Amino acid sequence: MEPITARSRYWRHTQDNAIQCALCSHACTLSEGEFGHCGARRNSSGQMVLPLYANISSIAIDPVEKKPLRRFMPNTWTYSVGFWHCDMDCPFCQNWEIAHPRRKDGSKIYPERLISLAVESGCPSISFTYSEPTIHIEYVVEAMRLARQRGLATILVTNGNLLTEPAQEILALTDATNIDYKAAEAGTYREVLGGNVRVVQNFIRIASTLCHVEITSLAVPGILDNPRQMDEISRFISSVSADIPLHITQYHPAWRYHRAPLTKESLTAMREAAQRNLKFVYAYF
Ligand code: SF4
């Protein structure tokens, strides 16, 4: 597999042959040969290499509402591209086959070719989605630049667990983003999901200054399942802007999590709590 070193960004040498990644909240220190927590970045001879550069897991043409975006280019289709792996560990991952893969069957499609395919599809936008795109930031940034040159709008669907500098770079090239806000409690984010809520909040604030933003909260029993939590999340969002749309989506048992989905009554109560703080709240039963 082709190791790409020249284009890898957001890392530094530490001591001996170790390096530290500065991309997401994990800030992994990697010894020689070691992969980062995300499984997408590796220390090879004291350099950060990207073994999965241009390795695409999935391509589909989706309604933009499926991202979900409800207030950006409505009733259009978007050319949707997925990679492999994720920097978070949500045990209920709805895309675990590509976010935590046992095997990888994708093909290499370099950015120039990808954007040509997107233009040929006739879609007015391209979405980086399905698994976590930001751990492949070098590829996404290159593809977004090319997309804009070819007249495509750019959409980023992300967990938002990205540190400030890379967040500013990728969001400056993004026209619209949907960001997950997965839990109200910092401890749940850290210990169960493998993320950092403060980093996600910072990402949302940066995004709100650079592009169109919508937020998704997946309703998961035992994680995010009640009006008090929804009140807390929607209060934070409204502190950025009460105009940011919030999507409350229904979980389905997947990967390592098999509890029954929430009832319609529970989702309705969560939606009503969010509606007290935000203008646009969409719940999916
Ligand atoms: S992007 Fe990957 S290697 Fe870098 S800090 Fe995050 S989990 Fe670690």
Side-chain angles (χ1 to χ4, degrees):
M1 198 172 283
E2 179 192 12
I4 302 279
T5 55
R7 285 181 272 195
S8 67
R9 313 256 316 272
Y10 299 111
W11 61 276
R12 65 182 181 91
H13 292 286
T14 53
Q15 50 189 349
D16 303 324
N17 230 15
I19 60 176
Q20 184 171 32
C21 184
L23 196 53
C24 86
S25 72
H26 290 287
C28 300
T29 297
L30 308 178
S31 308
E32 170 60 32
E34 204 176 1
F35 277 87
H37 185 83
C38 59
R41 308 171 78 82
R42 187 167 73 92
N43 179 347
S44 176
S45 304
Q47 304 286 312
M48 181 71 85
V49 299
L50 312 172
L52 297 175
Y53 186 86
N55 203 314
I56 302 297
S57 67
S58 34
I59 291 180
I61 294 175
D62 293 329
V64 75
E65 287 80 5
K66 194 178 165 188
K67 296 304 102 191
L69 291 170
R70 289 285 283 268
R71 303 184 71 80
F72 180 80
M73 300 178 77
N75 304 313
T76 63
W77 297 87
T78 184
Y79 194 82
S80 299
V81 182
F83 301 93
W84 296 102
H85 288 277
C86 184
D87 53 321
M88 290 181 65
D89 310 305
C90 310
F92 46 79
C93 182
Q94 307 285 287
N95 290 315
W96 66 272
E97 290 97 337
I98 57 173
H100 305 281
R102 295 195 182 109
R103 47 179 290 187
K104 297 183 269 287
D105 295 325
S107 53
K108 288 232 182 237
I109 303 176
Y110 289 90
E112 297 81 1
R113 176 78 183 129
L114 180 79
I115 298 308
S116 291
L117 290 169
V119 169
E120 286 165 19
S121 76
C123 293
S125 67
I126 182 166
S127 293
F128 300 92
T129 178
Y130 302 137
S131 64
E132 179 50 46
T134 60
I135 58 174
H136 306 278
I137 188 170
E138 295 85 353
Y139 182 101
V140 175
V141 160
E142 193 177 344
M144 283 180 159
R145 283 205 184 96
L146 293 168
R148 283 190 162 180
Q149 286 169 13
R150 301 283 299 272
L152 291 173
T154 56
I155 295 171
L156 182 70
V157 181
T158 177
N159 61 29
N161 191 41
L162 200 66
L163 300 180
T164 297
E165 194 184 336
Q168 286 170 331
E169 181 184 26
I170 200 166
L171 289 166
L173 291 162
T174 300
D175 291 304
T177 182
N178 188 297
I179 306 165
D180 289 336
Y181 199 132
K182 294 170 181 280
E185 295 83 10
T188 303
Y189 244 101
R190 189 176 57 247
E191 287 148 29
V192 181
L193 311 180
N196 183 315
V197 71
R198 301 283 170 248
V199 170
V200 175
Q201 289 176 339
N202 181 55
F203 187 90
I204 292 169
R205 285 194 194 95
I206 296 169
S208 72
T209 68
L210 293 171
C211 62
H212 175 82
V213 180
E214 303 196 16
I215 308 279
T216 293
S217 287
L218 185 68
V220 180
I223 304 284
L224 176 53
D225 59 7
N226 67 64
R228 178 195 59 76
Q229 293 168 321
M230 233 35 261
D231 178 65
E232 193 170 323
I233 289 173
S234 56
R235 275 178 196 270
F236 167 77
I237 298 169
S238 80
S239 76
V240 180
S241 169
D243 291 329
I244 293 177
L246 172 65
H247 305 260
I248 303 172
T249 55
Q250 176 67 288
Y251 135 102
H252 300 286
W255 200 31
R256 300 172 175 163
Y257 212 81
H258 304 289
R259 292 176 63 170
L262 298 182
T263 62
K264 187 175 178 183
E265 290 70 28
S266 296
L267 281 168
T268 301
M270 292 168 73
R271 178 180 64 186
E272 288 171 356
Q275 282 172 328
R276 285 191 272 279
N277 299 312
L278 298 169
K279 290 185 193 160
F280 309 107
V281 180
Y282 307 96
Y284 304 81
F285 301 115

